[in-house]
Amino acid sequence: AMAMLTYDDELYYFKGASAEKIDEYESLQTLKISNDGSTVAFVDYDDGAYVFYTYANGKINEICEYENGHTYDSFVMSPNGGTILYTVYEDGDNVLYAYNGEEIEIGKDFSPVAVSDGGKVAYIYDDDSDKLCVIKNLDESTKETVDSEFSRLTALTTDATAILYRNEDG
C-alpha cells in the first residue's frame, strides 16, 4: 500500500490494483501507513488548527483537532492500524492519547514509541524520567520501566511482545 499527494493537493491511497481518492489537503503535515497497509493516518493544517485523520475501508475519520503543532508528527500505529498513540501539546505538557475507536487519555509527559494491535502492549517514553516504559491495555497504572538508556526503536514483533531497540550506549 502507498499514499500519494498530487501537485493539485489531492491525496490518493493505493493498494494492489485499486486507487482511491481520499480528499484534497493543501497543508498535509505528516502521513503514515499501517504495516498491513489497511490504514492511513495523517495530519493536515487547516484554518489555524492541526486535524488528525485516519482513512480505512474507504472512510475518513477525524480523530482530533488541536491548535499547537509542537507535536503534530508524534504518533505511532499498531500493525493493523486499529490503535494509534499520539501526543497533543496542552497547557505546557505533552499529553499522550490512544485512539482505538474512542479517544483515551493515557497521561502527561509521555511520548509514543510502539503499540500492538488492540493496545494490549504499548511502549512509551517517559519524558520526565528519560526511561523507556511498557504499559498494558492503554493503562498508565500498569507502567513498568524497560530501560533508562533508550535511544530509538529498531524493531518489534507484530503483537509487540518483543522489542529490539538501541540504548544510548549503542
Side-chain angles (χ1 to χ4, degrees):
M2 67 177 237
M4 176 183 74
L5 185 66
T6 69
Y7 287 117
D8 295 326
D9 299 321
E10 296 173 330
L11 182 59
Y12 285 88
Y13 168 72
F14 299 90
K15 187 167 184 181
S18 70
E20 301 169 21
K21 180 180 174 183
I22 297 174
D23 208 341
E24 293 182 16
Y25 299 97
E26 290 182 27
S27 299
L28 194 66
Q29 302 295 303
T30 189
L31 180 141
K32 296 179 183 180
I33 298 176
S34 61
N35 288 353
D36 71 359
S38 67
T39 305
V40 179
F42 56 98
V43 176
D44 183 53
Y45 184 72
D46 187 26
D47 290 332
Y50 293 88
V51 185
F52 190 4
Y53 299 97
T54 59
Y55 179 80
N57 299 317
K59 296 180 183 171
I60 299 170
N61 183 31
E62 182 178 321
I63 293 178
C64 70
E65 181 177 315
Y66 48 99
E67 292 184 9
N68 189 311
H70 179 68
T71 57
Y72 71 79
D73 63 345
S74 185
F75 71 91
V76 296
M77 280 190 291
S78 63
N80 72 2
T83 305
I84 298 173
L85 294 181
Y86 60 95
T87 57
V88 176
Y89 192 70
E90 297 175 348
D91 301 323
D93 294 309
N94 283 329
V95 181
L96 181 66
Y97 289 93
Y99 182 83
N100 61 0
E102 66 178 316
E103 185 177 65
I104 302 164
E105 183 175 335
I106 295 176
K108 293 182 179 178
D109 295 323
F110 298 129
S111 298
V113 176
V115 63
S116 70
D117 290 341
K120 293 177 183 169
V121 178
Y123 293 91
I124 61 174
Y125 185 75
D126 187 325
D127 298 331
D128 288 336
S129 67
D130 292 329
K131 294 180 180 176
L132 176 65
C133 300
V134 63
I135 62 172
K136 304 276 188 335
N137 299 314
L138 306 173
D139 182 357
E140 179 188 2
S141 69
T142 65
K143 183 178 82 164
E144 295 178 24
T145 297
V146 174
D147 196 336
S148 61
E149 301 292 327
F150 175 72
S151 174
R152 66 183 163 91
L153 176 71
T154 56
L156 77 155
T157 58
T158 57
D159 63 1
T161 57
I163 184 172
L164 181 64
Y165 63 94
R166 182 181 177 106
N167 69 15
E168 292 177 0
D169 293 332

